[in-house]
Amino acid sequence: MIAFWVVAGVLSAAAAGLILQNAARAAHRAGSVDPTSAVYRRQLREIDDLAGRGLIADEERKSAHAEAARRLLSAADAAAPPWTAQTQYRRPVLVAALLAPFAALGLYLAVGAPGLPDQPFRGRIAAWRALDPAMLTAPQMAAVLKALIAERGPDAEAYGFLAKAEIAAENPSGAIRALRRAIELAPQRVDLWEGLGEVLMIEAGGEVTPPAQRAFAEALKRDPASVISRFHLARGRIAAGDRDGGLADWKALASELPQSDPRRAAVEAAIAQAQGAPPAATGDMAAIRGMVEGLAARLEASPEDPQGWVRLVRSYAVLGMDSERDTALAKARARYADRPEIVKALEIAAKTAPMGKVAP
């Protein structure tokens, strides 16, 4: 490795010296020739060529030819400005170009690890797979999931988890590709269509774009009661100028949700905000928060309730209480680590969009 860096440094320094030397010579030669003369000679040839093919009239040819010839004569008579250079900077620049590769090599030897063997990406993935998934970063988890999919074959569930990892890694384009692949394998999965719509919105900076609308519409075809799809489609109508229609859709959605559902408070807050009123964060929202706190207290006293933990995680997610959601998720994961179906339901609940935050 050290030998490679020495050779690379020498070659870089030599290349830099040759480039600087040839550039100076080329600039010196260019200073004695007026480049506009060649341009006007080419114009004369092009005018004659167009006239020969009958593309311009004879009078037009004569006029253009005369103008180009006049400019050519003027350029020929004008003395080319002499080429000058600030020679006092030439030596420092040359020395810097020669020393830069050696400086980089010295820095690498000082702070780098020249004796460390290569770490192929495949080997790193193998090491990550041996770790507890909770210790992996989002990009590492995405790489592991891609390797598992390549090893075990396409699977809609795996692609769905890959999309979540890509979102956590701030790679919405990768999440979109994963969700589209998952939908190809399981086109009837409502949650995949909903997830695709939300990721398309993330990629568009929160805007309900036509592709996102189509994804939500596909989700509604499979589940007309999809709360996420109805909420965002109504939001899209408002953004497109149909404020009354969007508000009507939101009001219908709110009326169908139970009072105990935290999503109802989020929808009502969005309605109030769209109507120009302060969000309803005191009355109903306070009651909803009280219900959620009561559920959390009950689970602390009687924790053997998997569906209760799923509801609690989803409620925190909807209310935008991220730290509480993460704490509840960690506790539930530890309790039901041997029940993958519960862990999966918890992870899906944790990804529920905080609808009150995306209202216009």
Side-chain angles (χ1 to χ4, degrees):
M1 180 64 72
I2 295 178
F4 166 79
W5 279 104
V6 171
V7 173
V10 171
L11 291 176
S12 299
L18 289 173
I19 291 171
L20 289 171
Q21 184 180 17
N22 291 330
R25 289 176 179 174
H28 181 73
R29 289 194 301 267
S32 61
V33 179
D34 187 354
T36 58
S37 298
V39 175
Y40 298 138
R41 289 192 181 94
R42 186 171 63 250
Q43 285 184 347
L44 289 170
R45 290 194 298 269
E46 291 174 352
I47 292 169
D48 291 337
D49 179 64
L50 292 173
R53 289 186 290 166
L55 297 178
I56 59 175
D58 186 60
E59 289 297 324
E60 185 178 354
R61 182 194 67 80
K62 291 180 180 178
S63 175
H65 202 284
E67 178 63 20
R70 183 187 64 77
R71 293 181 180 180
L72 176 59
L73 291 173
S74 176
D77 292 338
W83 179 81
T84 59
Q86 295 178 327
T87 56
Q88 68 271 23
Y89 297 118
R90 184 178 300 169
R91 186 179 298 275
V93 170
L94 181 59
V95 171
L98 293 172
L99 292 180
F102 295 101
L105 174 61
L107 182 63
Y108 173 71
L109 293 174
V111 302
L116 191 67
D118 291 340
Q119 294 183 338
F121 191 61
R122 183 178 298 178
R124 281 180 279 170
I125 291 178
W128 296 337
R129 291 176 66 170
L131 296 175
D132 182 351
M135 299 175 61
L136 300 179
T137 64
Q140 291 172 345
M141 178 60 75
V144 169
L145 288 170
K146 289 177 182 177
L148 289 173
I149 292 172
E151 178 182 304
R152 301 177 183 177
D155 178 78
E157 196 70 24
Y159 276 115
F161 284 117
L162 173 59
K164 294 176 182 178
E166 295 284 22
I167 284 295
E170 299 183 356
N171 181 21
S173 297
I176 290 171
R177 289 193 296 270
L179 284 168
R180 291 194 186 282
R181 188 71 183 93
I183 288 171
E184 290 177 4
L185 299 170
Q188 297 306 316
R189 286 271 301 269
V190 176
D191 62 314
L192 296 177
W193 285 106
E194 291 174 340
L196 177 60
E198 291 185 310
V199 176
L200 288 167
M201 286 175 53
I202 292 173
E203 188 180 46
E207 181 183 352
V208 189
T209 59
Q213 292 176 355
R214 288 193 291 270
F216 290 131
E218 291 292 336
L220 282 180
K221 288 180 184 178
R222 292 155 178 80
D223 179 14
S226 170
V227 175
I228 292 175
S229 300
R230 293 174 64 185
F231 179 85
H232 289 304
L233 285 174
R235 181 169 169 259
R237 291 185 68 177
I238 293 175
D242 186 6
R243 181 172 174 275
D244 292 339
L247 283 172
D249 291 343
W250 268 348
K251 291 176 181 178
L253 175 59
S255 67
E256 296 173 16
L257 293 172
Q259 287 285 351
S260 59
D261 193 326
R263 294 175 298 180
R264 173 167 181 160
V267 176
E268 290 175 344
I271 293 171
Q273 191 171 353
Q275 291 176 330
T282 53
D284 292 342
M285 185 62 75
I288 292 297
R289 288 181 181 271
M291 293 179 188
V292 174
E293 291 171 1
L295 175 59
R298 181 172 65 78
L299 290 173
E300 287 292 333
S302 303
E304 196 53 48
D305 181 4
Q307 294 306 316
W309 283 104
V310 172
R311 288 198 304 274
L312 180 63
V313 171
R314 182 183 296 111
S315 298
Y316 281 143
V318 168
L319 293 173
M321 302 169 68
D322 295 344
S323 60
E324 292 84 350
R325 176 203 62 194
D326 294 341
T327 301
L329 179 61
K331 290 181 179 179
R333 271 178 172 167
R335 176 168 294 277
Y336 299 106
D338 58 343
R339 297 179 63 179
E341 72 281 1
I342 300 300
V343 173
K344 183 179 79 170
L346 287 165
E347 291 173 344
I348 293 174
K351 297 296 182 181
T352 303
M355 293 195 301
K357 290 186 179 181
V358 295

